[in-house]
Amino acid sequence: MIQCHGIKDHGWIQTLYEDRKRWAPVYLKEAYLSGVFSFLQNEVSTSYFEGYLDKNTPLKEFLDKYDQALQLNYQLEALADMDSRNSSCIQKPGCYYEFQLSKLYTNEMLRKFQTEVEAMYSCYSTKHISSDGPITYIVKEEFEVGGNEKDSRAFDVLYNASDLEVLCVCGLFNFRGYLCRHILCVLNQSGMQEIPFHYILSRWRKDVKRSYVLDHSCSAIDIKNPVHRFDDLYKRIVQVVEEGRQSQDRYKVTLQALDEILNKLHLVEDHQV
């Protein structure tokens, strides 16, 4: 629109465009955009390609460095998923919401959600009954403004108990994909002991089996790296499947060999225990 109407040199319009990240999200709170925005206000964004690509990267190096950055990020995510499945960052949950999601969320998402749970205790709400619709709660959040002074801000939360639907004007769920402190306050006050499962997105769950992107560009395997072990074994087992499916005889031999391998692996696990 700026280029179309020839107003790109207008000072106020240019300033408004440069500050778009501060005002544009206000008009998008009702749209589901979880994960689209890389960061919210007062948060720092780190690019996947930081340290690999910049504006001076030659074109002939771009593809190699781009692939290296993606592979590193993939390995870090895979290791983080493995860590989440094997341990929880919360040892003693402070409330049942934390206990519920400590079994479901990845550790990274659990830490973010824990911030909202802690802030929930700084919120209090008053209920306004609606005769033909959801209940409207006015949730006031207290926060320090400097020294010992405190201030508060009000947020409208709509709660439909029959359909277990809840919406907060802050829009955190639409932006981030997990419930905000204001909604948690309303659910807690309403006696809801569990977060409704349609507000627990599968993309944040540690029990979801994610697709692995195999890197065929490097033949060196670091057996100390669990991601490398997975990739190498996966590629080899795919070859076994391709050979075993070609005939009934090969299929039977493959099953027998796999059973023998599993039995040997079980003996190794028992020995380690």
Side-chain angles (χ1 to χ4, degrees), residues 87-92 102 106-111 114:
S87 64
S88 175
C89 63
I90 297 181
Q91 302 299 326
K92 295 182 179 180
S102 65
T106 63
N107 284 342
E108 180 181 359
M109 188 53 55
L110 192 58
R111 292 186 187 97
Q114 190 177 22

Side-chain angles (χ1 to χ4, degrees), residues 114-240:
Q114 190 177 22
T115 301
E116 298 303 313
V117 172
E118 293 173 352
M120 173 184 70
Y121 299 105
S122 298
C123 301
Y124 58 96
S125 65
T126 57
K127 183 170 64 175
H128 295 262
I129 302 296
S130 177
S131 58
D132 54 351
I135 303 174
T136 301
Y137 290 84
I138 308 299
V139 179
K140 291 187 177 181
E141 179 185 356
E142 291 186 344
F143 53 89
E144 295 184 357
V145 294
N148 296 324
E149 296 183 6
K150 290 187 177 182
D151 198 356
S152 64
R153 183 180 177 185
F155 297 85
D156 289 354
V157 177
L158 301 180
Y159 178 48
N160 189 332
S162 59
D163 296 331
L164 294 180
E165 294 181 351
V166 62
L167 175 66
C168 180
V169 71
C170 79
L172 182 69
F173 181 78
N174 285 343
F175 280 115
R176 285 300 197 176
Y178 55 91
L179 294 182
C180 65
R181 60 198 66 180
H182 318 114
I183 288 179
L184 294 178
C185 177
V186 170
L187 294 179
N188 186 47
Q189 179 175 313
S190 302
M192 181 70 65
Q193 296 183 349
E194 289 188 346
I195 292 176
F197 272 89
H198 53 273
Y199 289 113
I200 304 175
L201 303 185
S202 59
R203 65 184 301 180
W204 309 138
R205 294 174 65 118
K206 60 184 177 183
D207 56 350
V208 171
K209 295 183 178 180
R210 309 183 193 279
S211 299
Y212 284 84
V213 180
L214 302 181
D215 181 15
H216 299 280
S217 62
C218 180
S219 59
I221 301 298
D222 179 8
I223 63 173
K224 295 182 179 179
N225 188 323
V227 178
H228 285 194
R229 295 198 300 266
F230 179 93
D231 287 352
D232 186 46
L233 291 173
Y234 188 88
K235 286 184 286 187
R236 294 174 185 273
I237 202 66
V238 167
Q239 295 175 356
V240 172

Side-chain angles (χ1 to χ4, degrees), residues 67-111:
D67 185 65
Q68 291 175 13
L70 287 181
Q71 287 298 325
L72 176 62
N73 183 70
Y74 151 65
Q75 290 189 11
L76 293 176
E77 288 186 348
L79 291 174
D81 286 344
M82 186 177 301
D83 179 64
S84 296
R85 288 191 291 268
N86 295 330
S87 64
S88 175
C89 63
I90 297 181
Q91 302 299 326
K92 295 182 179 180
C95 70
Y96 192 81
Y97 299 145
E98 284 184 334
F99 178 75
Q100 177 191 10
L101 295 186
S102 65
K103 299 180 178 180
L104 302 174
Y105 272 169
T106 63
N107 284 342
E108 180 181 359
M109 188 53 55
L110 192 58
R111 292 186 187 97

